[in-house]
Short mmCIF file of all heavy atoms in Angstrom, two decimals:
data_model
loop_
_atom_site.label_atom_id
_atom_site.label_comp_id
_atom_site.label_asym_id
_atom_site.label_seq_id
_atom_site.Cartn_x
_atom_site.Cartn_y
_atom_site.Cartn_z
N MET A 1 37.41 82.00 34.50
CA MET A 1 36.92 82.71 33.33
C MET A 1 35.89 83.77 33.94
O MET A 1 35.03 83.53 34.64
CB MET A 1 36.17 81.63 32.46
CG MET A 1 35.59 82.38 31.26
SD MET A 1 34.85 81.08 30.19
CE MET A 1 33.88 82.07 29.07
N PRO A 2 36.05 85.00 33.50
CA PRO A 2 35.23 86.01 34.03
C PRO A 2 33.78 86.02 33.43
O PRO A 2 33.56 85.26 32.40
CB PRO A 2 35.95 87.33 33.63
CG PRO A 2 36.67 86.92 32.27
CD PRO A 2 37.06 85.53 32.60
N VAL A 3 32.85 86.50 34.22
CA VAL A 3 31.33 86.66 33.67
C VAL A 3 31.42 87.42 32.52
O VAL A 3 32.06 88.40 32.35
CB VAL A 3 30.56 87.30 34.85
CG1 VAL A 3 29.16 87.41 34.20
CG2 VAL A 3 30.62 86.41 36.11
N LYS A 4 30.64 86.83 31.46
CA LYS A 4 30.51 87.51 30.22
C LYS A 4 29.22 88.19 30.12
O LYS A 4 28.23 87.56 30.43
CB LYS A 4 30.75 86.53 29.13
CG LYS A 4 30.90 87.04 27.77
CD LYS A 4 31.21 85.84 26.90
CE LYS A 4 31.06 86.23 25.48
NZ LYS A 4 31.22 84.92 24.65
N VAL A 5 29.10 89.46 29.76
CA VAL A 5 27.95 90.20 29.51
C VAL A 5 27.39 89.95 28.03
O VAL A 5 28.16 90.27 27.21
CB VAL A 5 28.10 91.77 29.80
CG1 VAL A 5 26.73 92.40 29.55
CG2 VAL A 5 28.60 91.92 31.15
N VAL A 6 26.14 89.34 27.97
CA VAL A 6 25.79 89.24 26.68
C VAL A 6 24.57 89.93 26.15
O VAL A 6 24.19 89.97 25.01
CB VAL A 6 25.35 87.54 26.49
CG1 VAL A 6 26.55 86.63 26.71
CG2 VAL A 6 24.34 87.30 27.59
N SER A 7 24.01 90.68 26.97
CA SER A 7 22.97 91.55 26.56
C SER A 7 23.47 93.09 26.56
O SER A 7 24.54 93.39 27.13
CB SER A 7 21.64 91.48 27.53
OG SER A 7 22.01 92.10 28.88
N GLU A 8 22.79 93.85 25.77
CA GLU A 8 23.27 95.28 25.71
C GLU A 8 22.79 96.06 26.88
O GLU A 8 23.26 97.29 26.96
CB GLU A 8 22.77 95.79 24.41
CG GLU A 8 23.33 95.19 23.21
CD GLU A 8 23.10 95.93 21.93
OE1 GLU A 8 22.37 96.78 21.91
OE2 GLU A 8 23.64 95.42 20.96
N GLY A 9 22.00 95.66 27.65
CA GLY A 9 21.56 96.31 28.81
C GLY A 9 20.85 95.46 29.77
O GLY A 9 20.68 94.16 29.52
N PRO A 10 20.33 95.97 30.90
CA PRO A 10 19.70 94.99 31.77
C PRO A 10 18.44 94.48 31.15
O PRO A 10 17.83 95.10 30.42
CB PRO A 10 19.28 95.91 33.00
CG PRO A 10 20.06 97.07 32.84
CD PRO A 10 20.48 97.24 31.33
N THR A 11 18.10 93.17 31.44
CA THR A 11 16.95 92.53 30.60
C THR A 11 15.71 92.70 31.59
O THR A 11 14.67 92.53 31.11
CB THR A 11 17.29 91.09 30.40
OG1 THR A 11 17.58 90.49 31.45
CG2 THR A 11 18.34 91.08 29.37
N ALA A 12 15.89 92.93 32.88
CA ALA A 12 14.67 93.12 33.75
C ALA A 12 14.23 94.53 33.60
O ALA A 12 14.95 95.56 33.61
CB ALA A 12 15.12 92.85 35.08
N SER A 13 13.00 94.64 33.40
CA SER A 13 12.33 95.97 33.13
C SER A 13 11.10 96.19 34.02
O SER A 13 10.46 95.21 34.41
CB SER A 13 11.99 96.19 31.62
OG SER A 13 11.07 95.38 31.18
N LYS A 14 10.74 97.27 34.09
CA LYS A 14 9.47 97.62 34.90
C LYS A 14 8.82 98.63 34.11
O LYS A 14 9.25 99.27 33.12
CB LYS A 14 9.87 98.24 36.27
CG LYS A 14 10.42 97.22 37.32
CD LYS A 14 10.43 97.74 38.65
CE LYS A 14 11.03 96.63 39.50
NZ LYS A 14 10.98 96.98 40.92
N GLN A 15 7.44 98.61 34.37
CA GLN A 15 6.51 99.72 33.65
C GLN A 15 6.02 100.69 34.58
O GLN A 15 5.71 100.38 35.85
CB GLN A 15 5.45 98.92 33.04
CG GLN A 15 5.97 97.90 31.85
CD GLN A 15 4.93 97.37 31.06
OE1 GLN A 15 3.74 97.40 31.46
NE2 GLN A 15 5.22 96.93 29.85
N VAL A 16 5.80 101.85 34.07
CA VAL A 16 5.24 102.92 34.98
C VAL A 16 4.52 103.88 34.04
O VAL A 16 4.78 103.92 32.84
CB VAL A 16 6.35 103.72 35.69
CG1 VAL A 16 7.30 104.48 34.84
CG2 VAL A 16 5.86 104.56 36.71
N THR A 17 3.50 104.43 34.62
CA THR A 17 2.73 105.38 33.74
C THR A 17 3.17 106.69 33.99
O THR A 17 3.43 107.16 35.08
CB THR A 17 1.25 105.36 34.27
OG1 THR A 17 0.74 104.00 34.02
CG2 THR A 17 0.35 106.21 33.27
N CYS A 18 3.57 107.43 32.98
CA CYS A 18 4.08 108.82 33.04
C CYS A 18 3.10 109.65 33.66
O CYS A 18 1.84 109.69 33.51
CB CYS A 18 4.38 109.39 31.60
SG CYS A 18 4.77 111.16 31.58
N SER A 19 3.64 110.53 34.55
CA SER A 19 2.78 111.41 35.50
C SER A 19 2.13 112.55 34.74
O SER A 19 1.25 113.11 35.10
CB SER A 19 3.54 111.88 36.60
OG SER A 19 4.73 112.71 36.14
N LYS A 20 2.72 112.73 33.58
CA LYS A 20 2.19 113.95 32.81
C LYS A 20 1.30 113.53 31.54
O LYS A 20 0.21 113.86 31.40
CB LYS A 20 3.36 114.80 32.33
CG LYS A 20 2.95 116.16 31.63
CD LYS A 20 4.19 116.99 31.33
CE LYS A 20 3.81 118.24 30.67
NZ LYS A 20 4.94 119.08 30.24
N CYS A 21 1.98 112.85 30.66
CA CYS A 21 1.21 112.44 29.43
C CYS A 21 0.44 111.06 29.53
O CYS A 21 -0.34 110.76 28.84
CB CYS A 21 2.11 112.34 28.29
SG CYS A 21 3.38 110.96 28.23
N THR A 22 0.63 110.37 30.69
CA THR A 22 0.04 109.18 31.18
C THR A 22 0.14 107.95 30.16
O THR A 22 -0.54 107.03 30.24
CB THR A 22 -1.59 109.31 31.34
OG1 THR A 22 -2.13 109.50 30.15
CG2 THR A 22 -1.73 110.46 32.28
N TYR A 23 1.24 108.23 29.24
CA TYR A 23 1.60 107.00 28.42
C TYR A 23 2.25 105.96 29.35
O TYR A 23 3.01 106.27 30.37
CB TYR A 23 2.52 107.43 27.27
CG TYR A 23 1.65 107.93 26.09
CD1 TYR A 23 0.89 108.84 26.24
CD2 TYR A 23 1.94 107.29 24.84
CE1 TYR A 23 0.16 109.25 25.08
CE2 TYR A 23 1.34 107.64 23.67
CZ TYR A 23 0.42 108.74 23.94
OH TYR A 23 -0.40 109.08 22.76
N LYS A 24 2.20 104.61 29.04
CA LYS A 24 2.91 103.69 29.78
C LYS A 24 4.28 103.58 29.28
O LYS A 24 4.52 103.44 28.10
CB LYS A 24 2.17 102.39 29.70
CG LYS A 24 2.81 101.36 30.58
CD LYS A 24 1.89 100.09 30.75
CE LYS A 24 1.11 100.12 32.08
NZ LYS A 24 0.31 98.90 32.41
N LEU A 25 5.30 103.53 30.14
CA LEU A 25 6.63 103.55 29.80
C LEU A 25 7.32 102.29 30.35
O LEU A 25 6.80 101.80 31.49
CB LEU A 25 7.41 104.74 30.47
CG LEU A 25 6.83 106.06 30.10
CD1 LEU A 25 7.54 107.17 30.96
CD2 LEU A 25 6.88 106.36 28.74
N GLU A 26 8.23 101.59 29.71
CA GLU A 26 9.05 100.53 30.22
C GLU A 26 10.45 100.93 30.41
O GLU A 26 11.00 101.64 29.53
CB GLU A 26 8.91 99.35 29.24
CG GLU A 26 9.50 98.14 29.84
CD GLU A 26 9.39 96.80 28.95
OE1 GLU A 26 10.20 96.80 28.04
OE2 GLU A 26 8.35 96.16 29.14
N TYR A 27 10.95 100.72 31.65
CA TYR A 27 12.31 101.16 31.85
C TYR A 27 13.07 100.16 32.46
O TYR A 27 12.57 99.13 33.08
CB TYR A 27 12.29 102.47 32.77
CG TYR A 27 11.67 102.19 34.13
CD1 TYR A 27 12.76 101.99 35.14
CD2 TYR A 27 10.43 102.09 34.34
CE1 TYR A 27 12.03 101.78 36.44
CE2 TYR A 27 9.80 101.89 35.60
CZ TYR A 27 10.64 101.82 36.63
OH TYR A 27 10.22 101.48 37.87
N THR A 28 14.40 100.20 32.50
CA THR A 28 15.33 99.31 33.33
C THR A 28 16.05 100.21 34.39
O THR A 28 15.95 101.43 34.34
CB THR A 28 16.30 98.63 32.47
OG1 THR A 28 17.27 99.60 31.81
CG2 THR A 28 15.66 98.01 31.23
N GLY A 29 16.75 99.52 35.16
CA GLY A 29 17.51 100.25 36.18
C GLY A 29 18.53 101.32 35.52
O GLY A 29 18.87 102.30 36.08
N GLU A 30 18.97 101.15 34.40
CA GLU A 30 19.89 101.95 33.79
C GLU A 30 19.26 103.24 33.37
O GLU A 30 19.88 104.30 33.12
CB GLU A 30 20.61 101.39 32.36
CG GLU A 30 21.66 100.33 32.83
CD GLU A 30 22.58 99.98 31.66
OE1 GLU A 30 22.16 100.20 30.54
OE2 GLU A 30 23.73 99.75 32.17
N ASP A 31 18.00 103.31 33.24
CA ASP A 31 17.26 104.54 32.83
C ASP A 31 16.96 105.32 34.09
O ASP A 31 16.41 106.50 34.00
CB ASP A 31 15.94 104.19 32.15
CG ASP A 31 16.14 103.27 30.96
OD1 ASP A 31 17.11 103.62 30.19
OD2 ASP A 31 15.40 102.31 30.74
N VAL A 32 17.07 104.78 35.30
CA VAL A 32 16.64 105.48 36.46
C VAL A 32 17.59 106.57 36.96
O VAL A 32 18.92 106.19 36.88
CB VAL A 32 16.43 104.48 37.70
CG1 VAL A 32 16.13 105.22 38.97
CG2 VAL A 32 15.42 103.47 37.28
N GLN A 33 17.25 107.86 37.07
CA GLN A 33 18.04 108.85 37.50
C GLN A 33 17.78 109.09 38.98
O GLN A 33 16.80 108.81 39.47
CB GLN A 33 17.62 110.22 36.74
CG GLN A 33 17.38 110.10 35.29
CD GLN A 33 18.74 110.06 34.48
OE1 GLN A 33 19.56 110.92 34.74
NE2 GLN A 33 18.71 109.18 33.44
N THR A 34 18.77 109.53 39.60
CA THR A 34 18.60 109.94 40.94
C THR A 34 18.92 111.43 41.22
O THR A 34 19.64 112.00 40.47
CB THR A 34 19.69 109.22 41.90
OG1 THR A 34 20.96 109.51 41.42
CG2 THR A 34 19.45 107.66 41.78
N SER A 35 18.15 111.92 42.24
CA SER A 35 18.50 113.19 42.61
C SER A 35 18.49 113.23 44.04
O SER A 35 17.64 112.73 44.74
CB SER A 35 17.38 114.21 42.06
OG SER A 35 16.37 114.21 42.82
N SER A 36 19.42 113.95 44.75
CA SER A 36 19.47 113.99 46.19
C SER A 36 19.36 115.29 46.62
O SER A 36 19.66 116.36 46.07
CB SER A 36 20.82 113.48 46.64
OG SER A 36 21.90 114.14 45.99
N GLY A 37 18.83 115.45 47.86
CA GLY A 37 18.48 116.67 48.55
C GLY A 37 18.28 116.45 49.90
O GLY A 37 18.45 115.36 50.40
N TYR A 38 17.69 117.67 50.50
CA TYR A 38 17.47 117.39 51.86
C TYR A 38 15.97 117.75 52.14
O TYR A 38 15.42 118.61 51.67
CB TYR A 38 18.27 118.40 52.74
CG TYR A 38 19.74 118.05 53.09
CD1 TYR A 38 20.65 118.44 52.15
CD2 TYR A 38 20.04 117.26 54.06
CE1 TYR A 38 21.96 117.89 52.33
CE2 TYR A 38 21.27 116.83 54.20
CZ TYR A 38 22.26 117.08 53.43
OH TYR A 38 23.56 116.74 53.58
N SER A 39 15.25 116.78 52.89
CA SER A 39 13.96 117.19 53.18
C SER A 39 13.74 116.73 54.62
O SER A 39 14.20 115.73 55.10
CB SER A 39 13.01 116.36 52.19
OG SER A 39 12.42 115.22 52.90
N MET A 40 13.07 117.61 55.43
CA MET A 40 12.84 117.44 56.78
C MET A 40 14.12 117.21 57.63
O MET A 40 14.26 116.54 58.46
CB MET A 40 11.99 116.26 57.06
CG MET A 40 10.74 116.22 56.33
SD MET A 40 9.40 117.05 57.02
CE MET A 40 8.10 115.81 56.84
N GLY A 41 15.21 117.81 57.07
CA GLY A 41 16.56 117.79 57.65
C GLY A 41 17.36 116.41 57.51
O GLY A 41 18.25 116.30 57.96
N GLU A 42 16.73 115.61 56.67
CA GLU A 42 17.34 114.35 56.39
C GLU A 42 17.84 114.28 55.00
O GLU A 42 17.18 114.83 54.02
CB GLU A 42 16.33 113.22 56.54
CG GLU A 42 15.71 113.13 58.01
CD GLU A 42 15.99 111.91 58.72
OE1 GLU A 42 16.03 110.94 58.01
OE2 GLU A 42 16.00 112.07 59.93
N HIS A 43 18.88 113.61 54.77
CA HIS A 43 19.41 113.45 53.34
C HIS A 43 18.40 112.58 52.63
O HIS A 43 18.05 111.54 53.10
CB HIS A 43 20.70 112.81 53.33
CG HIS A 43 21.44 112.88 51.95
ND1 HIS A 43 21.92 111.81 51.39
CD2 HIS A 43 21.64 113.81 51.10
CE1 HIS A 43 22.48 112.00 50.20
NE2 HIS A 43 22.25 113.45 50.10
N ASP A 44 17.89 112.97 51.47
CA ASP A 44 16.83 112.35 50.77
C ASP A 44 17.26 112.06 49.33
O ASP A 44 17.79 113.01 48.59
CB ASP A 44 15.61 113.10 50.77
CG ASP A 44 14.42 112.50 50.36
OD1 ASP A 44 14.17 111.38 50.93
OD2 ASP A 44 13.72 112.96 49.54
N VAL A 45 17.13 110.86 48.88
CA VAL A 45 17.41 110.52 47.43
C VAL A 45 16.22 110.22 46.84
O VAL A 45 15.39 109.23 47.25
CB VAL A 45 18.41 109.39 47.44
CG1 VAL A 45 18.77 109.08 45.97
CG2 VAL A 45 19.76 109.84 48.18
N SER A 46 15.90 110.70 45.62
CA SER A 46 14.79 110.37 44.98
C SER A 46 15.01 109.77 43.58
O SER A 46 16.05 110.15 42.99
CB SER A 46 13.70 111.66 44.71
OG SER A 46 14.30 112.69 44.14
N PHE A 47 14.25 108.95 43.11
CA PHE A 47 14.50 108.26 41.92
C PHE A 47 13.40 108.39 40.89
O PHE A 47 12.23 108.58 41.21
CB PHE A 47 14.55 106.65 42.16
CG PHE A 47 15.57 106.27 43.18
CD1 PHE A 47 15.33 106.36 44.50
CD2 PHE A 47 16.71 105.68 42.75
CE1 PHE A 47 16.33 106.02 45.38
CE2 PHE A 47 17.76 105.19 43.62
CZ PHE A 47 17.46 105.42 44.98
N TYR A 48 13.87 108.74 39.56
CA TYR A 48 12.89 109.10 38.63
C TYR A 48 13.44 108.69 37.29
O TYR A 48 14.57 108.31 37.02
CB TYR A 48 12.59 110.57 38.62
CG TYR A 48 13.79 111.49 38.36
CD1 TYR A 48 13.93 111.80 36.99
CD2 TYR A 48 14.66 111.83 39.27
CE1 TYR A 48 15.13 112.66 36.64
CE2 TYR A 48 15.83 112.64 38.99
CZ TYR A 48 16.04 112.96 37.70
OH TYR A 48 17.15 113.87 37.37
N ILE A 49 12.48 108.70 36.37
CA ILE A 49 12.81 108.33 34.91
C ILE A 49 12.38 109.62 34.04
O ILE A 49 11.37 110.33 34.50
CB ILE A 49 12.27 107.15 34.33
CG1 ILE A 49 10.78 107.11 34.44
CG2 ILE A 49 12.97 105.88 35.08
CD1 ILE A 49 10.20 105.92 33.53
N VAL A 50 13.07 109.93 32.98
CA VAL A 50 12.57 110.94 32.07
C VAL A 50 11.80 110.39 30.91
O VAL A 50 12.36 109.46 30.31
CB VAL A 50 13.76 111.70 31.59
CG1 VAL A 50 13.30 112.89 30.72
CG2 VAL A 50 14.60 112.38 32.75
N CYS A 51 10.50 110.95 30.84
CA CYS A 51 9.70 110.27 29.75
C CYS A 51 10.17 110.81 28.42
O CYS A 51 10.43 111.99 28.10
CB CYS A 51 8.25 110.94 29.87
SG CYS A 51 7.15 110.43 28.55
N PRO A 52 10.38 109.75 27.57
CA PRO A 52 10.92 110.07 26.20
C PRO A 52 9.95 110.86 25.29
O PRO A 52 10.31 111.33 24.26
CB PRO A 52 11.36 108.66 25.62
CG PRO A 52 10.50 107.76 26.33
CD PRO A 52 10.22 108.33 27.68
N ARG A 53 8.68 110.85 25.75
CA ARG A 53 7.71 111.28 24.89
C ARG A 53 7.39 112.84 25.29
O ARG A 53 7.41 113.71 24.41
CB ARG A 53 6.45 110.61 25.13
CG ARG A 53 5.31 110.97 24.16
CD ARG A 53 4.11 110.11 24.28
NE ARG A 53 3.00 110.65 23.47
CZ ARG A 53 2.20 111.61 23.84
NH1 ARG A 53 2.20 112.14 25.02
NH2 ARG A 53 1.33 112.03 23.07
N CYS A 54 7.27 113.08 26.49
CA CYS A 54 7.02 114.43 26.93
C CYS A 54 8.15 115.11 27.72
O CYS A 54 8.05 116.44 28.01
CB CYS A 54 5.70 114.54 27.75
SG CYS A 54 5.82 113.83 29.39
N GLY A 55 9.01 114.31 28.16
CA GLY A 55 10.24 115.06 28.97
C GLY A 55 10.03 115.24 30.36
O GLY A 55 10.88 115.67 31.05
N ALA A 56 8.72 114.77 30.95
CA ALA A 56 8.55 114.99 32.35
C ALA A 56 9.30 113.99 33.16
O ALA A 56 9.55 112.86 32.65
CB ALA A 56 7.05 114.92 32.47
N ASN A 57 9.50 114.35 34.37
CA ASN A 57 10.16 113.20 35.24
C ASN A 57 8.96 112.52 35.95
O ASN A 57 8.01 113.21 36.45
CB ASN A 57 10.84 114.09 36.31
CG ASN A 57 12.21 114.74 35.73
OD1 ASN A 57 12.60 114.47 34.65
ND2 ASN A 57 12.74 115.46 36.56
N THR A 58 9.16 111.32 36.07
CA THR A 58 8.12 110.50 36.81
C THR A 58 8.93 109.74 37.92
O THR A 58 9.87 109.01 37.56
CB THR A 58 7.45 109.50 35.75
OG1 THR A 58 6.73 110.24 34.84
CG2 THR A 58 6.50 108.50 36.49
N SER A 59 8.43 109.77 39.04
CA SER A 59 9.08 109.05 40.11
C SER A 59 8.97 107.56 39.92
O SER A 59 7.78 107.13 39.62
CB SER A 59 8.42 109.56 41.47
OG SER A 59 8.64 110.89 41.68
N VAL A 60 9.94 106.86 40.38
CA VAL A 60 9.86 105.44 40.38
C VAL A 60 10.32 104.90 41.76
O VAL A 60 11.04 105.66 42.52
CB VAL A 60 10.79 104.88 39.32
CG1 VAL A 60 9.98 105.28 37.91
CG2 VAL A 60 12.14 105.16 39.27
N PRO A 61 10.05 103.68 41.92
CA PRO A 61 10.51 103.14 43.36
C PRO A 61 12.08 103.20 43.43
O PRO A 61 12.72 103.07 42.28
CB PRO A 61 9.95 101.77 43.32
CG PRO A 61 8.76 101.73 42.45
CD PRO A 61 9.14 102.67 41.29
N ALA A 62 12.63 103.10 44.50
CA ALA A 62 14.01 103.06 44.72
C ALA A 62 14.57 101.75 44.18
O ALA A 62 14.45 100.71 44.75
CB ALA A 62 14.33 103.18 46.26
N TRP A 63 15.01 101.79 42.92
CA TRP A 63 15.44 100.55 42.34
C TRP A 63 16.37 100.90 41.24
O TRP A 63 16.19 101.77 40.39
CB TRP A 63 14.15 99.91 41.64
CG TRP A 63 14.53 98.65 40.93
CD1 TRP A 63 14.99 97.52 41.42
CD2 TRP A 63 14.39 98.45 39.51
NE1 TRP A 63 15.08 96.62 40.46
CE2 TRP A 63 14.68 97.14 39.23
CE3 TRP A 63 14.03 99.19 38.43
CZ2 TRP A 63 14.77 96.58 37.90
CZ3 TRP A 63 13.96 98.66 37.15
CH2 TRP A 63 14.35 97.43 36.91
N SER A 64 17.54 100.34 41.35
CA SER A 64 18.60 100.63 40.32
C SER A 64 19.48 99.46 39.99
O SER A 64 20.23 99.06 40.72
CB SER A 64 19.34 101.79 40.89
OG SER A 64 20.50 102.00 39.97
N LEU A 65 19.28 98.94 38.83
CA LEU A 65 20.11 97.81 38.41
C LEU A 65 21.49 98.28 38.08
O LEU A 65 22.41 97.63 38.20
CB LEU A 65 19.56 97.26 37.10
CG LEU A 65 18.36 96.35 37.28
CD1 LEU A 65 17.78 95.87 35.82
CD2 LEU A 65 18.65 95.12 38.12
N ARG A 66 21.64 99.64 37.87
CA ARG A 66 22.94 100.16 37.63
C ARG A 66 23.84 99.92 38.78
O ARG A 66 25.00 99.70 38.78
CB ARG A 66 22.74 101.56 37.17
CG ARG A 66 24.08 102.13 36.65
CD ARG A 66 23.86 103.62 36.10
NE ARG A 66 23.15 104.42 36.99
CZ ARG A 66 22.44 105.44 36.58
NH1 ARG A 66 22.64 106.01 35.33
NH2 ARG A 66 21.72 106.21 37.54
N GLU A 67 23.25 100.14 39.89
CA GLU A 67 24.01 99.87 41.25
C GLU A 67 24.14 98.36 41.58
O GLU A 67 24.82 98.02 42.62
CB GLU A 67 23.30 100.59 42.37
CG GLU A 67 23.16 102.23 42.14
CD GLU A 67 24.40 102.92 42.29
OE1 GLU A 67 25.26 102.40 42.99
OE2 GLU A 67 24.44 103.87 41.62
N GLY A 68 23.39 97.60 40.86
CA GLY A 68 23.52 96.17 41.03
C GLY A 68 22.80 95.71 42.35
O GLY A 68 23.16 94.73 42.82
N ARG A 69 21.95 96.46 42.87
CA ARG A 69 21.14 96.16 44.05
C ARG A 69 19.75 96.73 44.18
O ARG A 69 19.49 97.58 43.41
CB ARG A 69 21.96 96.28 45.24
CG ARG A 69 22.32 97.87 45.57
CD ARG A 69 22.97 98.11 46.77
NE ARG A 69 23.04 99.50 47.13
CZ ARG A 69 24.24 100.28 46.94
NH1 ARG A 69 25.25 99.68 46.29
NH2 ARG A 69 24.22 101.58 47.09
N SER A 70 19.05 96.23 45.09
CA SER A 70 17.58 96.64 45.15
C SER A 70 17.44 97.19 46.60
O SER A 70 18.06 96.49 47.56
CB SER A 70 16.75 95.44 44.85
OG SER A 70 15.31 95.80 45.33
N TRP A 71 16.63 98.18 46.82
CA TRP A 71 16.39 98.60 48.14
C TRP A 71 14.99 98.26 48.74
O TRP A 71 14.46 98.78 49.70
CB TRP A 71 16.65 100.08 48.20
CG TRP A 71 17.95 100.60 48.15
CD1 TRP A 71 18.88 100.61 49.29
CD2 TRP A 71 18.74 101.16 47.14
NE1 TRP A 71 20.07 100.96 48.78
CE2 TRP A 71 19.99 101.30 47.49
CE3 TRP A 71 18.38 101.38 45.72
CZ2 TRP A 71 21.01 101.90 46.67
CZ3 TRP A 71 19.24 101.86 44.89
CH2 TRP A 71 20.62 102.17 45.44
N TYR A 72 14.41 97.35 47.99
CA TYR A 72 13.09 97.03 48.48
C TYR A 72 13.27 96.16 49.79
O TYR A 72 14.10 95.46 50.09
CB TYR A 72 12.39 95.94 47.54
CG TYR A 72 11.77 96.74 46.41
CD1 TYR A 72 12.03 96.33 45.08
CD2 TYR A 72 11.05 97.81 46.61
CE1 TYR A 72 11.36 97.00 44.00
CE2 TYR A 72 10.32 98.40 45.57
CZ TYR A 72 10.58 98.03 44.30
OH TYR A 72 10.03 98.70 43.30
ZN1 ZN B 1 5.30 111.63 29.42
#
């Protein structure tokens, strides 16, 4: 019998303070966006969430439940 998903999204969440409006936000791995680029000649991936209140990007630790793993 396959694993059954019973929640509508990841239930583990983290909180971060928006870098712009300073409201406290709660997010899950599904909310984490990634952007990749090059810095110092190395491939670099940054993780951020978009504040639903002011629309600013706030950096978060490399953590993505969507990928099903953690990089800590
Ligand atoms: Zn904000």
